[in-house]
Amino acid sequence: MINSYVGGVIYDVMAHHGIPGNRAEVLRSTYLPRWRKGGLEAAVVQVSNWPSINAYFAEIDRSEGEITYCRTRADFDNRPEGSFGIFLSLEGHGPFAGDFEALHTLAELGVTTFTFSHNLQNLLCTGSNERFGEGGFSHLGKQTLQELESLPMMIDLVHMSRASFWDALDLYDGDLFVSHSNADALCPHPRNLTDDQIKAVAERNGTIGLNTFRGYVSPEPLKATLSDLLDHAMYMYDMVGPEHLSIGADYCESPVEMLLPVLDMIDPDGAHGIKGRGRELYTYGPEGLEDASNLGAIATGLAERGLTPDEVDLVCGESYLRMLERSRPSKP
């Protein structure tokens, strides 16, 4: 199983790497046991600046082979037996915004994905939670899309306003995906996808990662369950098929105190039911999926809902790997 969105871990990683002289191995000591228990074989982790990239490379190098850095599908398929795969995804709306030459360096380093937003307005586009949510891509955002056309990076449309989403489809000809969102029809929220958006991602050969954040699983988030998330999976399965579904399990992972200011920041006036509720919404996932050690329940649940073993394999990683191979072909 591959999780196409592991965001919160970076706060814990950076906190340890910021201690002078600390040769931190946060992934190996804290997260790999939990991930492996849940059946994960690889994760896509988020980076946003050079220090975060440096920290992950240091973690990988210090792991004594327990972690393999993956640039392509071949890197994942050929990693040593038992080694955990790590892919890097860039949240590019921070210090890299407008640095087009850095994009070429990052692509050469093997960063697989570019993400334009984290829920609010930035230099590149409007996010899903912004008050003027119909805003789309800025001129700089459009120029960034044009630069990315020539690079082997996938474009992740997560966290965007719907206007930004449709701008991206109009402006960019390559494959597009959404790393961690659910179906708006089952849980209305600007972070989830409408039927038209789900179909549009499928038409672009992309996947939609099933998101475990309780506020995006159920209209009553404190009552969210594994069954509710499986309802999202089956809703999208019936619409576009298993080849367009993946796992985008957005868990808190880091100590929740590190994430609370971020959650308040992305919903500053409380319009989306998150501000002031980060601890209760994000400390644990839905019942039956409380943390990443429970992720195997998704595969079991999909099989119980009638998916074949091959279809379950698609959702649990194969769909993501096929998309990656198209964007970033493995070298012979």
Side-chain angles (χ1 to χ4, degrees):
M1 181 182 291
I2 297 173
N3 184 5
S4 65
Y5 185 82
V6 176
V9 168
I10 190 59
Y11 295 92
D12 201 11
V13 170
M14 294 306 293
H16 284 80
H17 283 259
I19 301 171
N22 189 337
R23 295 178 57 80
E25 296 183 53
V26 183
L27 295 184
R28 187 184 186 189
S29 62
T30 303
Y31 296 100
L32 287 195
R34 182 187 310 162
W35 293 346
R36 285 172 169 155
K37 184 177 179 181
L40 282 180
E41 298 175 283
V44 183
V45 298
Q46 310 303 302
V47 294
S48 59
N49 51 34
W50 288 119
S52 59
I53 293 169
N54 296 343
Y56 275 125
F57 276 128
E59 291 267 335
I60 292 165
D61 287 344
R62 293 170 187 162
S63 74
E64 298 181 304
E66 285 197 51
I67 304 174
T68 297
Y69 179 50
C70 297
R71 302 168 178 83
T72 64
R73 174 173 190 152
D75 288 342
F76 172 77
D77 289 341
N78 299 323
R79 73 197 189 283
E81 184 176 357
S83 185
F84 192 90
I86 288 289
F87 299 89
L88 295 186
S89 172
L90 175 70
E91 291 191 331
H93 46 83
F96 287 115
D99 190 347
F100 299 146
E101 293 186 350
L103 297 181
H104 292 262
T105 302
L106 293 164
E108 190 66 25
L109 286 174
V111 175
T112 61
T113 309
F114 189 97
T115 305
F116 279 83
S117 177
H118 191 256
N119 299 299
L120 297 179
Q121 182 71 40
N122 59 52
L123 292 173
L124 303 180
C125 71
T126 301
S128 60
N129 291 0
E130 191 57 62
R131 292 184 66 188
F132 45 101
E134 292 308 306
F137 267 71
S138 68
H139 291 301
L140 182 61
K142 294 176 183 179
Q143 292 165 0
T144 303
L145 271 174
Q146 292 171 354
E147 194 71 24
L148 289 165
E149 288 272 13
S150 64
L151 296 174
M153 281 193 199
M154 297 183 289
I155 304 301
D156 183 0
L157 304 184
V158 77
H159 299 139
M160 287 184 176
S161 71
R162 287 169 182 159
S164 295
F165 176 98
W166 294 114
D167 270 356
L169 265 76
D170 289 340
L171 296 165
Y172 184 80
D173 292 330
D175 292 356
L176 301 163
F177 80 112
V178 180
S179 60
H180 56 301
S181 287
N182 295 324
D184 183 76
L186 302 186
C187 180
H189 196 286
R191 271 286 283 105
N192 285 335
L193 301 180
T194 66
D195 290 0
D196 285 344
Q197 287 178 299
I198 294 167
K199 293 173 185 176
V201 171
E203 289 169 0
R204 288 296 189 91
N205 298 313
T207 71
I208 298 162
L210 297 166
N211 191 342
T212 55
F213 180 70
R214 289 193 288 180
Y216 308 148
V217 172
S218 170
E220 297 183 89
L222 299 185
K223 298 180 180 179
T225 66
L226 165 63
S227 181
D228 293 327
L229 187 64
L230 293 173
D231 289 344
H232 285 273
M234 297 311 300
Y235 184 84
M236 292 188 279
Y237 170 92
D238 290 339
M239 189 180 304
V240 296
E243 63 272 24
H244 300 296
L245 294 180
S246 57
I247 305 297
D250 184 5
Y251 286 113
C252 180
E253 301 276 21
S254 293
V256 69
E257 287 75 17
M258 294 183 174
L259 279 297
L260 296 180
V262 178
L263 294 171
D264 285 349
M265 179 189 69
I266 65 172
D267 187 19
D269 55 8
H272 301 290
I274 297 174
K275 184 178 181 180
R277 302 185 66 197
R279 190 180 300 277
E280 61 180 348
L281 292 178
Y282 207 28
T283 301
Y284 298 106
E287 181 182 349
L289 285 172
E290 286 81 2
D291 61 39
S293 69
N294 302 112
L295 278 173
I298 295 179
T300 302
L302 291 173
E304 292 173 349
R305 294 285 184 109
L307 271 66
T308 68
D310 285 346
E311 289 177 327
V312 173
D313 286 346
L314 281 169
V315 179
C316 290
E318 179 64 22
S319 292
Y320 175 83
L321 291 171
R322 290 182 183 182
M323 182 175 61
L324 175 62
E325 180 68 16
R326 287 192 299 270
S327 173
R328 193 176 182 85
S330 302
K331 295 180 181 178

